[in-house]
PDB file of all heavy atoms in Angstrom:
ATOM      1  N   ALA A   1     -68.557  41.249 -31.171  1.00 79.00           N
ATOM      2  CA  ALA A   1     -67.149  40.888 -31.327  1.00 79.00           C
ATOM      3  C   ALA A   1     -66.323  41.333 -30.130  1.00 79.00           C
ATOM      4  O   ALA A   1     -65.407  40.634 -29.684  1.00 79.00           O
ATOM      5  CB  ALA A   1     -66.584  41.496 -32.610  1.00 79.00           C
ATOM      6  N   SER A   2     -66.658  42.505 -29.563  1.00 84.00           N
ATOM      7  CA  SER A   2     -65.859  43.047 -28.466  1.00 84.00           C
ATOM      8  C   SER A   2     -66.554  42.967 -27.116  1.00 84.00           C
ATOM      9  O   SER A   2     -65.926  43.099 -26.069  1.00 84.00           O
ATOM     10  CB  SER A   2     -65.525  44.527 -28.757  1.00 84.00           C
ATOM     11  OG  SER A   2     -66.722  45.292 -28.816  1.00 84.00           O
ATOM     12  N   GLY A   3     -67.870  42.772 -27.140  1.00 84.00           N
ATOM     13  CA  GLY A   3     -68.636  42.780 -25.898  1.00 84.00           C
ATOM     14  C   GLY A   3     -68.998  44.176 -25.435  1.00 84.00           C
ATOM     15  O   GLY A   3     -69.644  44.346 -24.400  1.00 84.00           O
ATOM     16  N   GLU A   4     -68.575  45.210 -26.202  1.00 87.00           N
ATOM     17  CA  GLU A   4     -68.890  46.591 -25.843  1.00 87.00           C
ATOM     18  C   GLU A   4     -70.400  46.813 -25.933  1.00 87.00           C
ATOM     19  O   GLU A   4     -71.050  46.370 -26.876  1.00 87.00           O
ATOM     20  CB  GLU A   4     -68.175  47.550 -26.799  1.00 87.00           C
ATOM     21  CG  GLU A   4     -68.476  49.014 -26.520  1.00 87.00           C
ATOM     22  CD  GLU A   4     -67.868  49.930 -27.565  1.00 87.00           C
ATOM     23  OE1 GLU A   4     -67.150  49.419 -28.463  1.00 87.00           O
ATOM     24  OE2 GLU A   4     -68.124  51.155 -27.490  1.00 87.00           O
ATOM     25  N   GLN A   5     -70.942  47.522 -24.953  1.00 87.00           N
ATOM     26  CA  GLN A   5     -72.372  47.813 -24.932  1.00 87.00           C
ATOM     27  C   GLN A   5     -72.601  49.295 -25.196  1.00 87.00           C
ATOM     28  O   GLN A   5     -71.987  50.164 -24.568  1.00 87.00           O
ATOM     29  CB  GLN A   5     -72.991  47.403 -23.605  1.00 87.00           C
ATOM     30  CG  GLN A   5     -72.986  45.891 -23.385  1.00 87.00           C
ATOM     31  CD  GLN A   5     -73.878  45.456 -22.245  1.00 87.00           C
ATOM     32  OE1 GLN A   5     -74.267  46.268 -21.397  1.00 87.00           O
ATOM     33  NE2 GLN A   5     -74.211  44.162 -22.220  1.00 87.00           N
ATOM     34  N   LEU A   6     -73.481  49.549 -26.153  1.00 88.00           N
ATOM     35  CA  LEU A   6     -73.824  50.917 -26.525  1.00 88.00           C
ATOM     36  C   LEU A   6     -75.185  51.267 -25.962  1.00 88.00           C
ATOM     37  O   LEU A   6     -76.152  50.516 -26.159  1.00 88.00           O
ATOM     38  CB  LEU A   6     -73.856  51.058 -28.055  1.00 88.00           C
ATOM     39  CG  LEU A   6     -72.587  50.686 -28.826  1.00 88.00           C
ATOM     40  CD1 LEU A   6     -72.830  50.805 -30.312  1.00 88.00           C
ATOM     41  CD2 LEU A   6     -71.417  51.572 -28.387  1.00 88.00           C
ATOM     42  N   ARG A   7     -75.262  52.388 -25.246  1.00 89.00           N
ATOM     43  CA  ARG A   7     -76.562  52.851 -24.747  1.00 89.00           C
ATOM     44  C   ARG A   7     -77.116  53.843 -25.761  1.00 89.00           C
ATOM     45  O   ARG A   7     -76.462  54.825 -26.109  1.00 89.00           O
ATOM     46  CB  ARG A   7     -76.425  53.507 -23.376  1.00 89.00           C
ATOM     47  CG  ARG A   7     -77.773  53.949 -22.799  1.00 89.00           C
ATOM     48  CD  ARG A   7     -77.657  54.506 -21.396  1.00 89.00           C
ATOM     49  NE  ARG A   7     -78.967  54.909 -20.916  1.00 89.00           N
ATOM     50  CZ  ARG A   7     -79.854  54.086 -20.354  1.00 89.00           C
ATOM     51  NH1 ARG A   7     -79.540  52.796 -20.208  1.00 89.00           N
ATOM     52  NH2 ARG A   7     -81.026  54.540 -19.949  1.00 89.00           N
ATOM     53  N   LEU A   8     -78.316  53.554 -26.237  1.00 87.00           N
ATOM     54  CA  LEU A   8     -78.937  54.367 -27.274  1.00 87.00           C
ATOM     55  C   LEU A   8     -80.150  55.075 -26.713  1.00 87.00           C
ATOM     56  O   LEU A   8     -81.014  54.456 -26.088  1.00 87.00           O
ATOM     57  CB  LEU A   8     -79.361  53.481 -28.458  1.00 87.00           C
ATOM     58  CG  LEU A   8     -78.284  52.565 -29.049  1.00 87.00           C
ATOM     59  CD1 LEU A   8     -78.899  51.661 -30.108  1.00 87.00           C
ATOM     60  CD2 LEU A   8     -77.146  53.383 -29.631  1.00 87.00           C
ATOM     61  N   ASP A   9     -80.206  56.358 -26.917  1.00 86.00           N
ATOM     62  CA  ASP A   9     -81.365  57.149 -26.514  1.00 86.00           C
ATOM     63  C   ASP A   9     -81.808  57.965 -27.722  1.00 86.00           C
ATOM     64  O   ASP A   9     -80.983  58.643 -28.371  1.00 86.00           O
ATOM     65  CB  ASP A   9     -81.017  58.086 -25.360  1.00 86.00           C
ATOM     66  CG  ASP A   9     -80.646  57.321 -24.095  1.00 86.00           C
ATOM     67  OD1 ASP A   9     -81.527  56.610 -23.553  1.00 86.00           O
ATOM     68  OD2 ASP A   9     -79.473  57.428 -23.677  1.00 86.00           O
ATOM     69  N   ALA A  10     -83.114  57.866 -28.035  1.00 86.00           N
ATOM     70  CA  ALA A  10     -83.605  58.595 -29.206  1.00 86.00           C
ATOM     71  C   ALA A  10     -85.100  58.831 -29.074  1.00 86.00           C
ATOM     72  O   ALA A  10     -85.786  58.189 -28.265  1.00 86.00           O
ATOM     73  CB  ALA A  10     -83.306  57.801 -30.485  1.00 86.00           C
ATOM     74  N   GLU A  11     -85.579  59.783 -29.880  1.00 85.00           N
ATOM     75  CA  GLU A  11     -86.997  60.071 -29.915  1.00 85.00           C
ATOM     76  C   GLU A  11     -87.529  59.821 -31.331  1.00 85.00           C
ATOM     77  O   GLU A  11     -86.795  59.874 -32.312  1.00 85.00           O
ATOM     78  CB  GLU A  11     -87.269  61.525 -29.522  1.00 85.00           C
ATOM     79  CG  GLU A  11     -86.988  61.843 -28.073  1.00 85.00           C
ATOM     80  CD  GLU A  11     -87.400  63.259 -27.709  1.00 85.00           C
ATOM     81  OE1 GLU A  11     -87.857  63.997 -28.626  1.00 85.00           O
ATOM     82  OE2 GLU A  11     -87.271  63.640 -26.542  1.00 85.00           O
ATOM     83  N   GLY A  12     -88.853  59.575 -31.392  1.00 83.00           N
ATOM     84  CA  GLY A  12     -89.512  59.387 -32.685  1.00 83.00           C
ATOM     85  C   GLY A  12     -91.002  59.289 -32.485  1.00 83.00           C
ATOM     86  O   GLY A  12     -91.501  59.363 -31.362  1.00 83.00           O
ATOM     87  N   ASN A  13     -91.711  59.108 -33.598  1.00 83.00           N
ATOM     88  CA  ASN A  13     -93.164  59.000 -33.483  1.00 83.00           C
ATOM     89  C   ASN A  13     -93.609  57.566 -33.225  1.00 83.00           C
ATOM     90  O   ASN A  13     -94.751  57.200 -33.462  1.00 83.00           O
ATOM     91  CB  ASN A  13     -93.863  59.554 -34.728  1.00 83.00           C
ATOM     92  CG  ASN A  13     -93.452  58.799 -35.995  1.00 83.00           C
ATOM     93  OD1 ASN A  13     -92.650  57.861 -35.938  1.00 83.00           O
ATOM     94  ND2 ASN A  13     -93.995  59.211 -37.125  1.00 83.00           N
ATOM     95  N   GLY A  14     -92.717  56.758 -32.729  1.00 84.00           N
ATOM     96  CA  GLY A  14     -92.985  55.375 -32.378  1.00 84.00           C
ATOM     97  C   GLY A  14     -91.668  54.684 -32.098  1.00 84.00           C
ATOM     98  O   GLY A  14     -90.590  55.218 -32.407  1.00 84.00           O
ATOM     99  N   PRO A  15     -91.690  53.490 -31.523  1.00 85.00           N
ATOM    100  CA  PRO A  15     -90.434  52.829 -31.160  1.00 85.00           C
ATOM    101  C   PRO A  15     -89.569  52.482 -32.359  1.00 85.00           C
ATOM    102  O   PRO A  15     -88.338  52.556 -32.270  1.00 85.00           O
ATOM    103  CB  PRO A  15     -90.897  51.575 -30.420  1.00 85.00           C
ATOM    104  CG  PRO A  15     -92.311  51.366 -30.844  1.00 85.00           C
ATOM    105  CD  PRO A  15     -92.868  52.725 -31.088  1.00 85.00           C
ATOM    106  N   ILE A  16     -90.185  52.123 -33.473  1.00 88.00           N
ATOM    107  CA  ILE A  16     -89.392  51.762 -34.652  1.00 88.00           C
ATOM    108  C   ILE A  16     -88.672  52.996 -35.189  1.00 88.00           C
ATOM    109  O   ILE A  16     -87.460  52.950 -35.480  1.00 88.00           O
ATOM    110  CB  ILE A  16     -90.286  51.130 -35.731  1.00 88.00           C
ATOM    111  CG1 ILE A  16     -90.810  49.779 -35.247  1.00 88.00           C
ATOM    112  CG2 ILE A  16     -89.526  50.974 -37.041  1.00 88.00           C
ATOM    113  CD1 ILE A  16     -91.758  49.107 -36.212  1.00 88.00           C
ATOM    114  N   ALA A  17     -89.418  54.104 -35.301  1.00 88.00           N
ATOM    115  CA  ALA A  17     -88.795  55.330 -35.803  1.00 88.00           C
ATOM    116  C   ALA A  17     -87.685  55.796 -34.871  1.00 88.00           C
ATOM    117  O   ALA A  17     -86.615  56.248 -35.315  1.00 88.00           O
ATOM    118  CB  ALA A  17     -89.862  56.419 -35.951  1.00 88.00           C
ATOM    119  N   ALA A  18     -87.908  55.693 -33.555  1.00 88.00           N
ATOM    120  CA  ALA A  18     -86.885  56.104 -32.600  1.00 88.00           C
ATOM    121  C   ALA A  18     -85.644  55.216 -32.713  1.00 88.00           C
ATOM    122  O   ALA A  18     -84.509  55.705 -32.666  1.00 88.00           O
ATOM    123  CB  ALA A  18     -87.455  56.028 -31.183  1.00 88.00           C
ATOM    124  N   PHE A  19     -85.849  53.925 -32.896  1.00 90.00           N
ATOM    125  CA  PHE A  19     -84.713  53.014 -32.995  1.00 90.00           C
ATOM    126  C   PHE A  19     -83.915  53.279 -34.262  1.00 90.00           C
ATOM    127  O   PHE A  19     -82.673  53.239 -34.258  1.00 90.00           O
ATOM    128  CB  PHE A  19     -85.216  51.570 -32.959  1.00 90.00           C
ATOM    129  CG  PHE A  19     -84.116  50.550 -32.820  1.00 90.00           C
ATOM    130  CD1 PHE A  19     -83.395  50.437 -31.641  1.00 90.00           C
ATOM    131  CD2 PHE A  19     -83.788  49.708 -33.864  1.00 90.00           C
ATOM    132  CE1 PHE A  19     -82.382  49.500 -31.494  1.00 90.00           C
ATOM    133  CE2 PHE A  19     -82.777  48.761 -33.735  1.00 90.00           C
ATOM    134  CZ  PHE A  19     -82.074  48.654 -32.546  1.00 90.00           C
ATOM    135  N   VAL A  20     -84.596  53.554 -35.372  1.00 90.00           N
ATOM    136  CA  VAL A  20     -83.905  53.870 -36.625  1.00 90.00           C
ATOM    137  C   VAL A  20     -83.074  55.143 -36.462  1.00 90.00           C
ATOM    138  O   VAL A  20     -81.936  55.224 -36.924  1.00 90.00           O
ATOM    139  CB  VAL A  20     -84.917  54.006 -37.780  1.00 90.00           C
ATOM    140  CG1 VAL A  20     -84.253  54.622 -39.009  1.00 90.00           C
ATOM    141  CG2 VAL A  20     -85.512  52.642 -38.126  1.00 90.00           C
ATOM    142  N   THR A  21     -83.659  56.121 -35.779  1.00 90.00           N
ATOM    143  CA  THR A  21     -82.911  57.356 -35.503  1.00 90.00           C
ATOM    144  C   THR A  21     -81.641  57.052 -34.712  1.00 90.00           C
ATOM    145  O   THR A  21     -80.559  57.587 -34.995  1.00 90.00           O
ATOM    146  CB  THR A  21     -83.791  58.353 -34.724  1.00 90.00           C
ATOM    147  OG1 THR A  21     -84.937  58.682 -35.508  1.00 90.00           O
ATOM    148  CG2 THR A  21     -83.029  59.623 -34.378  1.00 90.00           C
ATOM    149  N   ALA A  22     -81.759  56.167 -33.709  1.00 88.00           N
ATOM    150  CA  ALA A  22     -80.595  55.792 -32.909  1.00 88.00           C
ATOM    151  C   ALA A  22     -79.558  55.080 -33.757  1.00 88.00           C
ATOM    152  O   ALA A  22     -78.347  55.310 -33.603  1.00 88.00           O
ATOM    153  CB  ALA A  22     -81.049  54.899 -31.750  1.00 88.00           C
ATOM    154  N   MET A  23     -79.990  54.209 -34.668  1.00 89.00           N
ATOM    155  CA  MET A  23     -79.042  53.500 -35.529  1.00 89.00           C
ATOM    156  C   MET A  23     -78.301  54.475 -36.448  1.00 89.00           C
ATOM    157  O   MET A  23     -77.091  54.343 -36.665  1.00 89.00           O
ATOM    158  CB  MET A  23     -79.790  52.458 -36.382  1.00 89.00           C
ATOM    159  CG  MET A  23     -80.318  51.260 -35.614  1.00 89.00           C
ATOM    160  SD  MET A  23     -78.987  50.300 -34.834  1.00 89.00           S
ATOM    161  CE  MET A  23     -79.027  50.960 -33.180  1.00 89.00           C
ATOM    162  N   ASN A  24     -79.034  55.432 -36.986  1.00 89.00           N
ATOM    163  CA  ASN A  24     -78.377  56.420 -37.835  1.00 89.00           C
ATOM    164  C   ASN A  24     -77.343  57.217 -37.044  1.00 89.00           C
ATOM    165  O   ASN A  24     -76.319  57.660 -37.588  1.00 89.00           O
ATOM    166  CB  ASN A  24     -79.420  57.359 -38.447  1.00 89.00           C
ATOM    167  CG  ASN A  24     -80.319  56.638 -39.448  1.00 89.00           C
ATOM    168  OD1 ASN A  24     -79.915  55.650 -40.045  1.00 89.00           O
ATOM    169  ND2 ASN A  24     -81.540  57.140 -39.621  1.00 89.00           N
ATOM    170  N   GLY A  25     -77.609  57.350 -35.723  1.00 88.00           N
ATOM    171  CA  GLY A  25     -76.683  58.093 -34.877  1.00 88.00           C
ATOM    172  C   GLY A  25     -75.372  57.382 -34.653  1.00 88.00           C
ATOM    173  O   GLY A  25     -74.377  58.015 -34.281  1.00 88.00           O
ATOM    174  N   ILE A  26     -75.326  56.060 -34.852  1.00 88.00           N
ATOM    175  CA  ILE A  26     -74.053  55.327 -34.683  1.00 88.00           C
ATOM    176  C   ILE A  26     -73.462  54.928 -36.035  1.00 88.00           C
ATOM    177  O   ILE A  26     -72.606  54.047 -36.120  1.00 88.00           O
ATOM    178  CB  ILE A  26     -74.242  54.074 -33.795  1.00 88.00           C
ATOM    179  CG1 ILE A  26     -75.214  53.086 -34.423  1.00 88.00           C
ATOM    180  CG2 ILE A  26     -74.696  54.473 -32.402  1.00 88.00           C
ATOM    181  CD1 ILE A  26     -75.263  51.739 -33.698  1.00 88.00           C
ATOM    182  N   GLY A  27     -73.955  55.572 -37.108  1.00 88.00           N
ATOM    183  CA  GLY A  27     -73.329  55.362 -38.412  1.00 88.00           C
ATOM    184  C   GLY A  27     -73.986  54.337 -39.300  1.00 88.00           C
ATOM    185  O   GLY A  27     -73.457  54.024 -40.376  1.00 88.00           O
ATOM    186  N   GLU A  28     -75.153  53.800 -38.894  1.00 89.00           N
ATOM    187  CA  GLU A  28     -75.865  52.857 -39.752  1.00 89.00           C
ATOM    188  C   GLU A  28     -76.935  53.617 -40.532  1.00 89.00           C
ATOM    189  O   GLU A  28     -77.776  54.297 -39.946  1.00 89.00           O
ATOM    190  CB  GLU A  28     -76.525  51.758 -38.902  1.00 89.00           C
ATOM    191  CG  GLU A  28     -75.555  50.927 -38.110  1.00 89.00           C
ATOM    192  CD  GLU A  28     -74.788  49.924 -38.983  1.00 89.00           C
ATOM    193  OE1 GLU A  28     -75.040  49.860 -40.194  1.00 89.00           O
ATOM    194  OE2 GLU A  28     -73.920  49.219 -38.434  1.00 89.00           O
ATOM    195  N   ASP A  29     -76.897  53.508 -41.858  1.00 92.00           N
ATOM    196  CA  ASP A  29     -77.880  54.179 -42.703  1.00 92.00           C
ATOM    197  C   ASP A  29     -79.053  53.214 -42.924  1.00 92.00           C
ATOM    198  O   ASP A  29     -79.006  52.346 -43.792  1.00 92.00           O
ATOM    199  CB  ASP A  29     -77.234  54.562 -44.038  1.00 92.00           C
ATOM    200  CG  ASP A  29     -78.170  55.395 -44.907  1.00 92.00           C
ATOM    201  OD1 ASP A  29     -79.215  55.836 -44.399  1.00 92.00           O
ATOM    202  OD2 ASP A  29     -77.856  55.557 -46.104  1.00 92.00           O
ATOM    203  N   VAL A  30     -80.114  53.344 -42.100  1.00 91.00           N
ATOM    204  CA  VAL A  30     -81.227  52.392 -42.100  1.00 91.00           C
ATOM    205  C   VAL A  30     -82.517  53.104 -42.481  1.00 91.00           C
ATOM    206  O   VAL A  30     -82.845  54.164 -41.934  1.00 91.00           O
ATOM    207  CB  VAL A  30     -81.393  51.740 -40.707  1.00 91.00           C
ATOM    208  CG1 VAL A  30     -82.572  50.766 -40.709  1.00 91.00           C
ATOM    209  CG2 VAL A  30     -80.110  51.029 -40.293  1.00 91.00           C
ATOM    210  N   HIS A  31     -83.257  52.498 -43.429  1.00 92.00           N
ATOM    211  CA  HIS A  31     -84.572  52.997 -43.821  1.00 92.00           C
ATOM    212  C   HIS A  31     -85.554  51.827 -43.837  1.00 92.00           C
ATOM    213  O   HIS A  31     -85.249  50.764 -44.393  1.00 92.00           O
ATOM    214  CB  HIS A  31     -84.531  53.650 -45.206  1.00 92.00           C
ATOM    215  CG  HIS A  31     -83.558  54.780 -45.308  1.00 92.00           C
ATOM    216  ND1 HIS A  31     -83.853  56.072 -44.925  1.00 92.00           N
ATOM    217  CD2 HIS A  31     -82.255  54.806 -45.742  1.00 92.00           C
ATOM    218  CE1 HIS A  31     -82.808  56.843 -45.110  1.00 92.00           C
ATOM    219  NE2 HIS A  31     -81.813  56.107 -45.611  1.00 92.00           N
ATOM    220  N   ILE A  32     -86.712  51.989 -43.238  1.00 91.00           N
ATOM    221  CA  ILE A  32     -87.729  50.933 -43.188  1.00 91.00           C
ATOM    222  C   ILE A  32     -88.596  51.008 -44.442  1.00 91.00           C
ATOM    223  O   ILE A  32     -89.187  52.060 -44.733  1.00 91.00           O
ATOM    224  CB  ILE A  32     -88.616  51.055 -41.933  1.00 91.00           C
ATOM    225  CG1 ILE A  32     -87.747  51.079 -40.671  1.00 91.00           C
ATOM    226  CG2 ILE A  32     -89.630  49.926 -41.876  1.00 91.00           C
ATOM    227  CD1 ILE A  32     -86.918  49.832 -40.475  1.00 91.00           C
ATOM    228  N   LEU A  33     -88.682  49.902 -45.184  1.00 92.00           N
ATOM    229  CA  LEU A  33     -89.486  49.845 -46.405  1.00 92.00           C
ATOM    230  C   LEU A  33     -90.824  49.137 -46.195  1.00 92.00           C
ATOM    231  O   LEU A  33     -91.806  49.454 -46.863  1.00 92.00           O
ATOM    232  CB  LEU A  33     -88.696  49.124 -47.515  1.00 92.00           C
ATOM    233  CG  LEU A  33     -87.313  49.690 -47.821  1.00 92.00           C
ATOM    234  CD1 LEU A  33     -86.627  48.843 -48.887  1.00 92.00           C
ATOM    235  CD2 LEU A  33     -87.412  51.142 -48.253  1.00 92.00           C
ATOM    236  N   ASP A  34     -90.851  48.162 -45.298  1.00 92.00           N
ATOM    237  CA  ASP A  34     -92.097  47.428 -45.035  1.00 92.00           C
ATOM    238  C   ASP A  34     -92.007  46.823 -43.643  1.00 92.00           C
ATOM    239  O   ASP A  34     -90.916  46.469 -43.167  1.00 92.00           O
ATOM    240  CB  ASP A  34     -92.312  46.317 -46.076  1.00 92.00           C
ATOM    241  CG  ASP A  34     -93.724  45.727 -46.034  1.00 92.00           C
ATOM    242  OD1 ASP A  34     -94.593  46.288 -45.330  1.00 92.00           O
ATOM    243  OD2 ASP A  34     -93.962  44.704 -46.716  1.00 92.00           O
ATOM    244  N   TYR A  35     -93.161  46.697 -42.995  1.00 93.00           N
ATOM    245  CA  TYR A  35     -93.207  46.105 -41.666  1.00 93.00           C
ATOM    246  C   TYR A  35     -94.511  45.325 -41.512  1.00 93.00           C
ATOM    247  O   TYR A  35     -95.584  45.816 -41.849  1.00 93.00           O
ATOM    248  CB  TYR A  35     -93.130  47.178 -40.573  1.00 93.00           C
ATOM    249  CG  TYR A  35     -93.381  46.632 -39.177  1.00 93.00           C
ATOM    250  CD1 TYR A  35     -92.374  45.944 -38.502  1.00 93.00           C
ATOM    251  CD2 TYR A  35     -94.620  46.784 -38.555  1.00 93.00           C
ATOM    252  CE1 TYR A  35     -92.599  45.431 -37.230  1.00 93.00           C
ATOM    253  CE2 TYR A  35     -94.852  46.283 -37.291  1.00 93.00           C
ATOM    254  CZ  TYR A  35     -93.834  45.593 -36.633  1.00 93.00           C
ATOM    255  OH  TYR A  35     -94.051  45.071 -35.391  1.00 93.00           O
ATOM    256  N   GLN A  36     -94.400  44.082 -41.033  1.00 92.00           N
ATOM    257  CA  GLN A  36     -95.588  43.262 -40.761  1.00 92.00           C
ATOM    258  C   GLN A  36     -95.333  42.450 -39.497  1.00 92.00           C
ATOM    259  O   GLN A  36     -94.177  42.125 -39.176  1.00 92.00           O
ATOM    260  CB  GLN A  36     -95.901  42.317 -41.926  1.00 92.00           C
ATOM    261  CG  GLN A  36     -96.260  43.035 -43.223  1.00 92.00           C
ATOM    262  CD  GLN A  36     -96.622  42.089 -44.335  1.00 92.00           C
ATOM    263  OE1 GLN A  36     -97.267  41.064 -44.106  1.00 92.00           O
ATOM    264  NE2 GLN A  36     -96.206  42.433 -45.552  1.00 92.00           N
ATOM    265  N   GLU A  37     -96.420  42.147 -38.793  1.00 92.00           N
ATOM    266  CA  GLU A  37     -96.287  41.342 -37.590  1.00 92.00           C
ATOM    267  C   GLU A  37     -97.535  40.486 -37.415  1.00 92.00           C
ATOM    268  O   GLU A  37     -98.595  40.777 -37.972  1.00 92.00           O
ATOM    269  CB  GLU A  37     -96.086  42.218 -36.349  1.00 92.00           C
ATOM    270  CG  GLU A  37     -97.307  43.074 -36.016  1.00 92.00           C
ATOM    271  CD  GLU A  37     -97.119  43.905 -34.750  1.00 92.00           C
ATOM    272  OE1 GLU A  37     -96.016  44.465 -34.560  1.00 92.00           O
ATOM    273  OE2 GLU A  37     -98.088  43.989 -33.975  1.00 92.00           O
ATOM    274  N   HIS A  38     -97.414  39.412 -36.628  1.00 92.00           N
ATOM    275  CA  HIS A  38     -98.568  38.578 -36.285  1.00 92.00           C
ATOM    276  C   HIS A  38     -98.224  37.748 -35.053  1.00 92.00           C
ATOM    277  O   HIS A  38     -97.040  37.507 -34.749  1.00 92.00           O
ATOM    278  CB  HIS A  38     -98.985  37.673 -37.447  1.00 92.00           C
ATOM    279  CG  HIS A  38     -97.940  36.652 -37.815  1.00 92.00           C
ATOM    280  ND1 HIS A  38     -97.800  35.444 -37.164  1.00 92.00           N
ATOM    281  CD2 HIS A  38     -96.973  36.669 -38.782  1.00 92.00           C
ATOM    282  CE1 HIS A  38     -96.812  34.769 -37.714  1.00 92.00           C
ATOM    283  NE2 HIS A  38     -96.279  35.476 -38.691  1.00 92.00           N
ATOM    284  N   ALA A  39     -99.261  37.317 -34.360  1.00 91.00           N
ATOM    285  CA  ALA A  39     -99.067  36.457 -33.191  1.00 91.00           C
ATOM    286  C   ALA A  39     -98.726  35.046 -33.634  1.00 91.00           C
ATOM    287  O   ALA A  39     -99.158  34.577 -34.689  1.00 91.00           O
ATOM    288  CB  ALA A  39    -100.319  36.450 -32.323  1.00 91.00           C
ATOM    289  N   LEU A  40     -97.968  34.348 -32.830  1.00 90.00           N
ATOM    290  CA  LEU A  40     -97.598  32.956 -33.103  1.00 90.00           C
ATOM    291  C   LEU A  40     -98.403  31.983 -32.256  1.00 90.00           C
ATOM    292  O   LEU A  40     -98.106  30.790 -32.237  1.00 90.00           O
ATOM    293  CB  LEU A  40     -96.102  32.744 -32.842  1.00 90.00           C
ATOM    294  CG  LEU A  40     -95.159  33.472 -33.793  1.00 90.00           C
ATOM    295  CD1 LEU A  40     -93.716  33.298 -33.352  1.00 90.00           C
ATOM    296  CD2 LEU A  40     -95.348  32.972 -35.221  1.00 90.00           C
ATOM    297  N   GLY A  41     -99.379  32.475 -31.557  1.00 85.00           N
ATOM    298  CA  GLY A  41    -100.221  31.624 -30.724  1.00 85.00           C
ATOM    299  C   GLY A  41    -101.369  32.432 -30.165  1.00 85.00           C
ATOM    300  O   GLY A  41    -101.658  33.546 -30.635  1.00 85.00           O
ATOM    301  N   GLU A  42    -102.027  31.874 -29.174  1.00 83.00           N
ATOM    302  CA  GLU A  42    -103.170  32.546 -28.560  1.00 83.00           C
ATOM    303  C   GLU A  42    -102.834  32.928 -27.118  1.00 83.00           C
ATOM    304  O   GLU A  42    -101.982  32.311 -26.481  1.00 83.00           O
ATOM    305  CB  GLU A  42    -104.385  31.632 -28.599  1.00 83.00           C
ATOM    306  CG  GLU A  42    -104.826  31.267 -30.017  1.00 83.00           C
ATOM    307  CD  GLU A  42    -105.998  30.316 -30.027  1.00 83.00           C
ATOM    308  OE1 GLU A  42    -106.424  29.893 -28.926  1.00 83.00           O
ATOM    309  OE2 GLU A  42    -106.487  29.974 -31.120  1.00 83.00           O
ATOM    310  N   GLY A  43    -103.509  33.937 -26.623  1.00 81.00           N
ATOM    311  CA  GLY A  43    -103.269  34.373 -25.253  1.00 81.00           C
ATOM    312  C   GLY A  43    -102.334  35.561 -25.190  1.00 81.00           C
ATOM    313  O   GLY A  43    -101.562  35.832 -26.111  1.00 81.00           O
ATOM    314  N   LYS A  44    -102.374  36.252 -24.055  1.00 78.00           N
ATOM    315  CA  LYS A  44    -101.591  37.482 -23.921  1.00 78.00           C
ATOM    316  C   LYS A  44    -100.089  37.226 -23.856  1.00 78.00           C
ATOM    317  O   LYS A  44     -99.279  38.117 -24.129  1.00 78.00           O
ATOM    318  CB  LYS A  44    -102.037  38.248 -22.680  1.00 78.00           C
ATOM    319  CG  LYS A  44    -101.806  37.498 -21.367  1.00 78.00           C
ATOM    320  CD  LYS A  44    -102.269  38.333 -20.181  1.00 78.00           C
ATOM    321  CE  LYS A  44    -102.007  37.606 -18.855  1.00 78.00           C
ATOM    322  NZ  LYS A  44    -102.433  38.419 -17.696  1.00 78.00           N
ATOM    323  N   ASP A  45     -99.684  36.014 -23.480  1.00 82.00           N
ATOM    324  CA  ASP A  45     -98.257  35.708 -23.383  1.00 82.00           C
ATOM    325  C   ASP A  45     -97.706  35.048 -24.644  1.00 82.00           C
ATOM    326  O   ASP A  45     -96.556  34.613 -24.672  1.00 82.00           O
ATOM    327  CB  ASP A  45     -98.003  34.793 -22.178  1.00 82.00           C
ATOM    328  CG  ASP A  45     -98.317  35.491 -20.865  1.00 82.00           C
ATOM    329  OD1 ASP A  45     -98.097  36.721 -20.787  1.00 82.00           O
ATOM    330  OD2 ASP A  45     -98.776  34.810 -19.919  1.00 82.00           O
ATOM    331  N   ALA A  46     -98.538  34.944 -25.682  1.00 88.00           N
ATOM    332  CA  ALA A  46     -98.082  34.303 -26.916  1.00 88.00           C
ATOM    333  C   ALA A  46     -97.016  35.163 -27.580  1.00 88.00           C
ATOM    334  O   ALA A  46     -97.131  36.395 -27.616  1.00 88.00           O
ATOM    335  CB  ALA A  46     -99.256  34.089 -27.852  1.00 88.00           C
TER     336      ALA A  46
END
């Protein structure tokens, strides 16, 4: 809405945990309940 950019720095036992920690630091109460991922194609650039 404002174009303001927030620089977030945080630590964790992985990027997701670190990002959640950063979100909590700016007032967002975030908890991860489930996570899944998969490739959408073949090859290293998929």
Side-chain angles (χ1 to χ4, degrees):
S2 63
E4 179 186 356
Q5 293 194 343
L6 303 177
R7 182 176 180 84
L8 308 174
D9 295 296
E11 291 185 357
N13 60 0
I16 293 177
F19 190 69
V20 168
T21 299
M23 289 298 97
N24 292 333
I26 62 171
E28 299 285 358
D29 186 11
V30 179
H31 302 276
I32 305 299
L33 306 177
D34 192 9
Y35 171 78
Q36 296 183 38
E37 66 178 42
H38 65 84
L40 293 174
E42 298 178 357
K44 63 180 182 179
D45 295 326

